[in-house]
Amino acid sequence: MKQLAGLLALIACHAAQADEVQVAVAANFTAPMQKIAAAFEQDTGHKAVLAFGATGKFYAQIVNGAPFEVLLAADDETPAKLEAEHRTVPGTRFTYATGKLALWSAKDGYVDGQGQVLKTGDYAHLAIANPKTAPYGAAAIGTLNKLGVHDRVQGKLVQGENIAQTHQFVSTGNAPLGFVALSQVYRDGRFTSGSGWIVPDNLHGPIRQDAVILAKGGANPAAKALAGYLKSSKAREIIRSYGYAL
Amino acid sequence: MMLDAADFAAVRLTLELATVVTLLLLAIGTPVAWWLARTRSRLRHAVGAVVALPLVLPPTVIGFYLLLLLGPNGPVGKLTEALGIGLLPFSFGGLVLASVCYSLPFVVQPLQNAFEAIGTRPLEVAATLRASPWDTFWSVAVPLARPGFLSGAVLGFAHTVGEFGVVLMIGGNIPDKTRVVSVQIYDHVEALEYAQAHWLAGGMLVFSFLVLLALYTFYPQAMKGRRR
């Protein structure tokens, strides 16, 4: 009897501690977040349920009552906007990663170490994310302007709806090269395939990616735990291994 | 009016695309539907299933496979490059090809139903009057299947206008070339330009309703499909 009571208490205690948190994750952060969520569940017992997509789409969904409790945005504007509209838990906004832009081709040896291929290459298409809606797309346009090649490549630009689709255009070879998130093509200090150039930070504004706990997650301990976990050294190590700055 | 030049360009491109695709679909769909309606070949079920695939597959699946097929490493991509056409993704031609695949069942199925509804008797009568098969087809089958042609054309056109997933996957969102209305609406929503999104989306809604209303009003028998 005593044992049974102990067991029940243990179950009750576990149920109180292990919660689920619904997380909206920017497409460029898909791979690292899957890894972090697995480690988070192992270390804390909480489960992070992940949805991946474009930040602008998440914004529209959140405003219209989507059940997300934490947002990992691809920019710092969307979380700030949500905070200004009182749709977040005040004071929970922070930068979880700073994105890096890469010029990448699925072909080996196609992209050189200085990105000269942009000026000299005889390519039909250059893929970028939609600059109007995706920060990586805006950074790509900024880079082209800084390099003074924007007008030359204007007619070659094809746009992915988000950075995941942009990567698809390049990885299938339909676009011989494109500006993608470094995290998509980089692991542990090198490109995982093809060839690429890590665009220096001074060629575009920093891609600060902010996270925030949304109003719906205010009462959920798992939401708070996840926000804390993203700042842990274990998570930061994973984030860095995908080529993000911190 | 809240629409700007880019919106109108997207509308014009969408109407162009739907017109080209509808004409092509009538040309391709008619022999396919005729064959499906008349043949006793064992292959008819397999061909019918292939034609109907876009009805059940998510557009992203079709778009993804087209991207692979039409790409530089895909068989179709290698063929178009060898023919000097170049690669089809990110071009109007690519959108046409994708839309033809995607809207095919919306034209073939009403046509097939209309051809089947004619039955064999009018064709046999024409044959006894020494009409050639070609003459029989044009003078007997086509006039009798008129509602099928009309509903097939309207559905093919309307469905191409409303297409999103496939054009998003292989289009590349290029102004005046591949940025159709549905993609433009998506961009507006993502950029939080809700007023422009409303104008375009509301326009689509009204357009679609009017198309279907006309179809149900004037050709109820065609919409019901198989008769007799």
Side-chain angles (χ1 to χ4, degrees), chain B residues 167-188:
Chain B
V167 292
L168 188 73
M169 292 289 270
I170 72 155
N173 202 353
I174 306 169
D176 299 326
K177 256 166 92 186
T178 62
R179 186 185 291 161
V180 294
V181 169
S182 56
V183 174
Q184 182 79 351
I185 293 172
Y186 191 84
D187 278 2
H188 281 319

Side-chain angles (χ1 to χ4, degrees), chain A residues 2 7-8 15 63 67 69 71 95 100 105 123 152 179 195 213 222 240:
Chain A
K2 206 173 163 188
L7 190 67
L8 282 174
V63 168
E69 298 173 292
L71 170 69
T95 301
K100 286 199 171 265
S105 170
Y123 49 89
R152 207 175 322 171
F179 283 102
S195 53
I213 299 180
R240 232 182 252 116

Side-chain angles (χ1 to χ4, degrees), chain B:
Chain B
M1 195 65 168
M2 283 297 297
L3 299 181
D4 62 16
D7 294 325
F8 284 114
V11 169
R12 196 174 55 238
L13 181 74
T14 305
L15 295 178
E16 264 174 41
L17 177 70
T19 306
V20 172
V21 168
T22 305
L23 293 175
L24 276 174
L25 279 174
L26 287 174
I28 298 164
T30 303
V32 174
W34 181 253
W35 184 80
L36 282 171
R38 290 274 159 268
T39 187
R40 307 209 161 196
S41 160
R42 283 168 171 275
L43 278 174
R44 70 183 189 279
H45 296 307
V47 173
V50 168
V51 168
L53 272 179
L55 292 174
V56 295
L57 284 178
T60 41
V61 169
I62 301 168
F64 177 56
Y65 279 128
L66 282 174
L67 198 62
L68 290 177
L69 273 176
L70 303 178
N73 305 315
V76 180
K78 283 189 174 140
L79 180 73
T80 55
E81 277 197 312
L83 293 172
I85 305 169
L87 295 173
L88 285 173
F90 319 132
S91 71
F92 185 74
L95 287 199
V96 169
L97 181 71
S99 305
V100 164
C101 295
Y102 190 47
S103 295
L104 191 63
F106 292 85
V107 176
V108 169
Q109 292 193 342
L111 277 177
Q112 185 186 344
N113 289 337
F115 287 147
E116 282 172 355
I118 294 169
T120 52
R121 186 144 173 79
L123 307 178
E124 285 165 2
V125 169
T128 59
L129 296 172
R130 298 196 179 183
S132 68
W134 188 248
D135 189 17
T136 305
F137 177 76
W138 286 107
S139 307
V140 180
V142 169
L144 284 174
R146 212 172 71 102
F149 278 97
L150 278 163
S151 55
V154 171
L155 284 178
F157 187 89
H159 195 254
T160 306
V161 166
E163 178 182 329
F164 173 64
V166 172
V167 292
L168 188 73
M169 292 289 270
I170 72 155
N173 202 353
I174 306 169
D176 299 326
K177 256 166 92 186
T178 62
R179 186 185 291 161
V180 294
V181 169
S182 56
V183 174
Q184 182 79 351
I185 293 172
Y186 191 84
D187 278 2
H188 281 319
V189 172
E190 286 229 318
L192 314 181
E193 297 160 352
Y194 288 180
Q196 271 171 293
H198 273 309
W199 275 105
L200 280 179
M204 283 284 257
L205 192 66
V206 171
F207 168 79
S208 308
F209 174 74
L210 291 179
V211 164
L212 292 175
L213 182 68
L215 215 50
Y216 280 116
T217 306
F218 297 116
Y219 303 101
Q221 75 276 29
M223 292 304 285
K224 274 192 215 127
R226 218 177 287 252
R227 286 192 81 215
R228 271 184 231 188

